[in-house]
Amino acid sequence: MSQDSTTVPETSRKLSGRRRREIVAVLLFSGGPIFESSIPLSVFGIDRQDAGVPRYRLLVCAGEDVPLRTTGGLELTAPYGLEALSRAGTVVVPAWRSITQPPPAAALDALRRAHEEGARIVGLCTGAFVLAAAGLLDGRPATTHWMYAPTLAKRYPSVHVDPRELFVDDGDVLTSAGTAAGIDLCLHIVRTDHGADAAGALARRLVVPPRRSGGQERYLDRSLPEEIGADPLAEVVAWALEHLHEQFDVEALAARAYMSRRTFDRRFRSLTGSAPLQWLITQRVLQAQRLLETSDYSVDEVAGRCGFRSPVALRGHFRRQLGSSPAAYRAAYRARRPQGGAPDRGPDRLERAERLGGDRAEVLEQRPGEHAMPLRRPGGPVTHTGHHHHPPHSPHPPGGTEPGKPESDAYAPRLPEQATGRAPGRPTLPGQRERPVG
């Protein structure tokens, strides 16, 4: 279950008698990054009852019998060992030093035992690799840093890796994306245990948003696991990335790989952790982002140059993944980074452009040669109404207009938002139907 869901799954096991729900154990390993390691220590290890935050009892545990040196060469001393995990109702693995190294067997055994006795197990960032090595993510949804998600999916094919979520709550096992997403998950845990008021009070003390919308979509890159370089699918993937401006579907990719669609889907998912259709849509949206940032092509032209069959398809997928329309994204980007030495339009415009995720619609200041574009609240999945208005003139075909033309989105259809429990942009899981590209 994602961070956008409105309900939280029930813990599947009853907590054993010797464990206490208010006790949180943090499992540290040598070589771990200090930022991720400090997140649960700050959230659960400081008494903030004066601010209305219920108190947890923190146990910092060494996951191995070696000096605990963090990134930067700092050496830590943990007051507890693995035996202390037997008292914890929640066990947090903030990070793991290397996704290529197996975690210590003793630590994995302690995590399995804690889970069997009803403890809630949490993996922040690369800590998901430790949970996966212990077998605690088998058959479950999980996430990690987007850069490592393909490797996690390839190494542990029974894990349903979702590289788009900031965190995933599957009841008694929870995982988060990289770095700051660990704060999001820890706040979610406080919210689950003690309610929104307590989580909000803690967020104010930490000076962070109590709940962030969206996911990792805007940070995704073309990165694929290094192992794919030796796989026959590597050539097909490289071809797809070089021909995103063309209209092709997954059937065409399967044909290039000389595979049936079913076999291609299975092989592709095992390599990348994502269904090929979802991966293709993501790459097209990423290419659209780049063009919106670096060119003056209109939204219609960007759609054509990214392989979408229509501007409507681009807008729908763009909004689902990034929470705003292409025109609003470009306006916000340019407001943050004035181009060509253009004068800054002042804090008022920048503030409005930055407030894409606000609760009320905002209208950006109209630029010369541009139509004013109303910004609507980003959020849940977007569905097309089945009809829309076209501009009174025919759009220019892809590649038929020289760069420098002012971008216009005045005829963008209004796409109704529907509140659902499913996070926007979530990859297709087994048993779900895929939507066609465009």
Side-chain angles (χ1 to χ4, degrees):
M1 184 168 292
S2 73
Q3 83 278 6
D4 292 310
S5 301
T6 56
T7 59
V8 177
E10 295 292 333
T11 302
S12 58
R13 295 177 176 85
K14 183 179 180 180
L15 198 64
S16 66
R18 60 179 175 174
R19 296 182 179 273
R20 296 291 179 266
R21 296 199 178 276
E22 69 275 10
I23 297 180
V24 177
V26 177
L27 192 58
L28 299 182
F29 297 97
S30 183
I34 192 169
F35 187 92
E36 283 83 352
S37 301
S38 69
I39 289 172
L41 305 185
S42 180
V43 171
F44 302 111
I46 299 177
D47 186 355
R48 297 187 176 92
Q49 295 182 87
D50 61 327
V53 181
R55 185 176 182 179
Y56 289 88
R57 183 182 175 190
L58 181 71
L59 304 178
V60 182
C61 306
E64 51 192 339
D65 294 327
V66 297
L68 301 180
R69 293 187 175 89
T70 71
T71 52
L74 297 178
E75 187 169 318
L76 305 178
T77 300
Y80 301 96
L82 290 173
E83 69 282 352
L85 266 62
S86 62
R87 291 182 278 161
T90 299
V91 179
V92 182
V93 183
W96 174 236
R97 59 175 167 261
S98 173
I99 63 174
T100 62
Q101 295 182 19
L108 298 181
D109 289 340
L111 286 172
R112 295 188 193 101
R113 186 162 51 252
H115 183 251
E116 291 170 357
E117 294 178 357
R120 177 173 51 191
I121 311 297
V122 181
L124 307 183
C125 193
T126 53
F129 283 82
V130 179
L131 273 57
L136 302 183
L137 297 181
D138 290 349
R140 292 177 179 266
T143 193
T144 187
H145 192 292
W146 62 263
M147 188 167 62
Y148 304 124
T151 302
L152 181 65
K154 177 176 174 59
R155 190 167 300 163
Y156 302 99
S158 61
V159 181
H160 303 303
V161 180
D162 188 340
R164 303 177 180 281
E165 300 292 355
L166 291 177
F167 62 81
V168 173
D169 181 347
D170 197 43
D172 52 357
V173 177
L174 303 87
T175 52
S176 79
T179 313
I183 301 176
D184 295 314
L185 179 51
C186 288
L187 286 173
H188 170 76
I189 291 172
V190 174
R191 187 182 303 111
T192 301
D193 291 348
H194 302 291
D197 289 344
L202 177 57
R204 287 191 295 274
R205 290 294 291 267
L206 296 175
V207 197
V208 296
R211 188 196 299 264
R212 287 196 294 164
S213 62
Q216 298 190 81
E217 296 92 342
R218 68 193 64 191
Y219 310 111
L220 292 174
D221 201 349
R222 294 187 176 194
S223 301
L224 291 170
E226 295 179 0
E227 298 91 332
I228 197 174
D231 192 276
L233 286 186
E235 183 178 348
V236 175
V237 170
W239 181 90
L241 291 174
E242 293 298 325
H243 293 78
L244 290 174
H245 59 283
E246 300 178 10
Q247 291 184 9
F248 59 86
D249 55 17
V250 179
E251 295 287 352
L253 295 180
R256 292 188 67 86
Y258 301 100
M259 297 179 184
S260 68
R261 171 64 186 272
R262 189 172 184 178
T263 301
F264 181 80
D265 283 5
R266 183 174 65 252
R267 288 286 305 281
F268 194 95
R269 187 185 290 273
S270 69
L271 280 172
T272 69
S274 175
L277 179 62
Q278 188 59 60
W279 177 85
L280 183 57
I281 292 173
T282 298
Q283 298 307 318
R284 295 194 190 281
V285 171
L286 283 170
Q287 180 68 3
Q289 278 184 270
R290 297 183 187 102
L291 290 179
L292 290 168
E293 293 170 0
T294 61
S295 78
D296 289 320
Y297 293 128
S298 70
V299 171
D300 289 9
E301 291 167 332
V302 168
R305 291 174 181 274
C306 296
F308 289 103
R309 292 190 175 92
S310 70
V312 174
L314 166 62
R315 293 184 181 103
H317 290 302
F318 200 95
R319 187 178 291 276
R320 271 191 290 273
Q321 292 196 22
L322 299 177
S324 68
S325 71
Y329 177 87
R330 170 178 275 170
Y333 180 85
R334 290 182 174 178
R336 290 192 300 269
R337 303 185 183 187
Q339 297 178 350
D344 193 347
R345 293 178 178 267
D348 182 55
R349 174 176 172 80
L350 178 58
E351 180 184 17
R352 291 199 301 274
E354 291 280 359
R355 263 191 289 167
L356 296 180
D359 290 336
R360 293 178 297 178
E362 296 286 347
V363 178
L364 289 179
E365 175 185 350
Q366 185 172 346
R367 292 184 175 185
E370 288 186 347
H371 296 276
M373 177 59 194
L375 301 184
R376 297 169 57 245
R377 184 195 311 178
V382 180
T383 57
H384 299 291
T385 60
H387 62 277
H388 55 275
H389 297 289
H390 292 279
H393 60 279
S394 299
H396 293 278
T401 304
E402 293 299 321
K405 183 177 179 179
E407 188 271 328
S408 171
D409 201 13
Y411 299 99
R414 294 185 177 273
L415 303 177
E417 299 172 351
Q418 297 176 346
T420 69
R422 184 164 173 258
R426 191 176 183 117
T428 304
L429 297 178
Q432 294 180 337
R433 296 184 62 185
E434 297 178 339
R435 297 183 180 182
V437 179

